[in-house]
C-alpha cells in the first residue's frame, strides 16, 4: 500500500485555549490570488456562489500556502485535481458563519448555556477574531478548504458535503465502518487520498473537518508541534493603502 492509501486515524480535538496561546512570529508573506493558477488546481469560491454578503469572488492564500497547494496537486494521480473552496476569509464572513451556526444550535438546544453552544460550534466554525494574538484561522490566509474532482469538474464523493456539521464530517469517520460497501470504500479512498497529499505537502488537518487544512497559522503550529506560528491576521492590500506606502517612499 502506498502513502496515498494509508488508513486515517481518529485525532482528538485540540485544546483551543492552548492553540490560541501559541506565539505568532509574523513573516509578512503577502496574500496571493489563486484564480490564475493552472490545473491541476481548480478554484470554486463557495461562499461567493452561495451569495453570502462580503464573500469574495476569488480565493486568496499566503504565498507559501500556494506553493504547498501546488505540491499537493502534483502528487495526485492522473485524472484527479485539487479544488480550493475557500482560503482567506474576511472577518464579516467569518462572523456571519459563526452567528448562523450558533443561532441554529441555540434553537435546537434551547437548554444549552453559551459555553456549551460555543463548544459545539467550535467543532466547525471558529469565533470571528482579528486579534493579533489569536486570529480566526481563515483570517490568516493559512487555512484552506479543499476537495477533489475529476478532469471534467465532477466532485469526488467525500461522504458529506463541504461544511456539513454532522459526525460523518470527521476526517477519519468512515474508517470506523466495519464492512464498507462499494460506496463507503470509495469515500474512504477519496478521503485518504486528499489527506495524504495535503499532509505530504506540509499542511495539517482539522480532525472534525475532512476538507480543512492549515499551514503557518496557530492550528498548524499545534498539530505539527511547532514552537510558534508564522501567520497572524492578514488583510488584502487596497489601492489607497498601496499608494500611501508608495508616496511615503517618494520622500521630499
Amino acid at each position: 500500500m502506498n502513502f496515498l492509501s494509508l488508513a486515517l486515524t481518529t485525532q482528538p480535538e485540540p485544546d483551543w485555549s492552548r492553540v490560541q496561546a501559541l506565539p505568532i512570529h509574523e513573516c509578512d508573506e503577502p496574500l496571493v490570488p489563486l484564480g490564475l493558477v493552472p490545473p491541476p488546481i481548480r478554484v470554486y469560491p463557495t461562499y461567493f456562489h452561495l451569495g453570502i454578503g462580503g464573500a469574495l469572488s476569488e480565493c486568496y492564500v499566503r504565498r507559501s500556502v500556494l506553493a504547498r497547494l501546488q505540491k499537493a496537486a502534483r502528487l495526485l494521480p492522473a485524472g484527479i485535481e485539487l479544488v480550493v473552496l475557500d482560503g482567506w476569509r474576511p472577518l464579516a464572513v467569518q462572523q456571519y458563519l459563526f452567528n448562523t451556526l450558533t443561532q441554529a444550535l441555540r434553537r435546537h438546544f434551547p437548554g444549552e448555556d453559551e459555553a456549551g453552544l460555543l463548544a459545539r460550534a467550535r467543532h466547525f466554525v471558529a469565533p470571528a477574531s482579528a486579534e493579533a494574538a489569536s486570529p480566526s484561522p481563515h483570517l490568516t490566509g493559512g487555512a484552506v478548504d479543499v476537495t477533489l474532482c475529476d478532469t471534467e469538474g465532477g466532485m469526488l464523493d467525500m461522504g458529506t458535503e463541504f461544511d456539513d456539521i454532522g459526525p460523518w464530517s470527521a476526517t477519519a469517520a468512515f474508517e470506523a465502518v466495519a464492512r464498507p460497501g462499494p460506496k463507503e470504500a470509495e469515500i474512504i479512498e477519496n478521503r485518504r487520498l486528499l489527506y495524504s497529499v495535503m499532509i505530504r505537502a506540509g499542511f495539517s488537518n482539522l480532525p472534525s473537518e475532512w476538507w480543512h487544512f492549515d499551514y503557518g497559522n496557530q492550528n498548524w503550529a499545534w498539530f505539527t508541534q511547532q514552537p510558534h506560528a508564522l501567520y497572524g491576521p492578514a488583510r488584502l492590500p487596497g489601492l489607497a493603502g498601496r499608494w500611501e506606502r508608495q508616496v511615503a517612499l517618494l520622500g521630499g
Side-chain angles (χ1 to χ4, degrees), residues 19-43:
V19 173
Q20 293 178 320
L22 288 169
I24 299 171
H25 296 179
E26 176 60 60
C27 66
D28 292 324
E29 270 187 11
L31 292 168
V32 294
L34 299 183
L36 295 177
V37 175
I41 293 178
R42 297 194 183 216
V43 182

Side-chain angles (χ1 to χ4, degrees), residues 224 246 250:
T224 60
Q246 292 171 348
L250 294 176

Side-chain angles (χ1 to χ4, degrees), residues 96-247:
Y96 171 84
L97 297 175
F98 185 77
N99 289 349
T100 302
L101 178 55
T102 52
Q103 288 165 10
L105 290 169
R106 189 173 289 111
R107 288 191 295 270
H108 192 74
F109 300 99
E112 191 89 74
D113 61 17
E114 289 302 312
L117 291 171
L118 173 61
R120 290 181 184 274
R122 192 65 183 80
H123 283 295
F124 297 99
V125 181
S129 171
E131 294 294 327
S134 57
S136 306
H138 276 279
L139 197 70
T140 68
V144 288
D145 296 326
V146 293
T147 189
L148 300 173
C149 74
D150 60 29
T151 53
E152 301 300 317
M155 299 291 193
L156 301 195
D157 189 354
M158 307 302 287
T160 75
E161 298 293 329
F162 165 56
D163 264 354
D164 189 295
I165 62 169
W168 290 106
S169 288
T171 304
F174 281 84
E175 300 283 348
V177 176
R179 291 187 175 88
K183 179 179 176 63
E184 290 84 5
E186 179 183 359
I187 293 166
I188 289 168
E189 286 304 310
N190 289 341
R191 289 199 183 187
R192 288 179 179 181
L193 177 59
L194 177 63
Y195 179 90
S196 296
V197 299
M198 293 295 286
I199 296 302
R200 181 65 67 95
F203 292 94
S204 64
N205 171 249
L206 186 62
S208 58
E209 299 180 352
W210 59 260
W211 57 83
H212 181 107
F213 293 85
D214 295 283
Y215 174 78
N217 58 23
Q218 289 170 310
N219 283 5
W220 167 83
W222 172 269
F223 285 112
T224 60
Q225 299 182 329
Q226 302 297 315
H228 60 82
L230 308 175
Y231 303 149
R235 291 193 304 172
L236 285 179
L239 180 61
R242 193 175 72 197
W243 279 352
E244 286 287 346
R245 290 192 297 272
Q246 292 171 348
V247 167

Side-chain angles (χ1 to χ4, degrees), residues 33-62:
L34 299 183
L36 295 177
V37 175
I41 293 178
R42 297 194 183 216
V43 182
Y44 185 80
T46 301
Y47 296 129
F48 174 79
H49 291 293
L50 289 174
I52 293 175
L56 304 178
S57 60
E58 172 67 284
C59 287
Y60 293 85
V61 296
R62 298 279 192 141

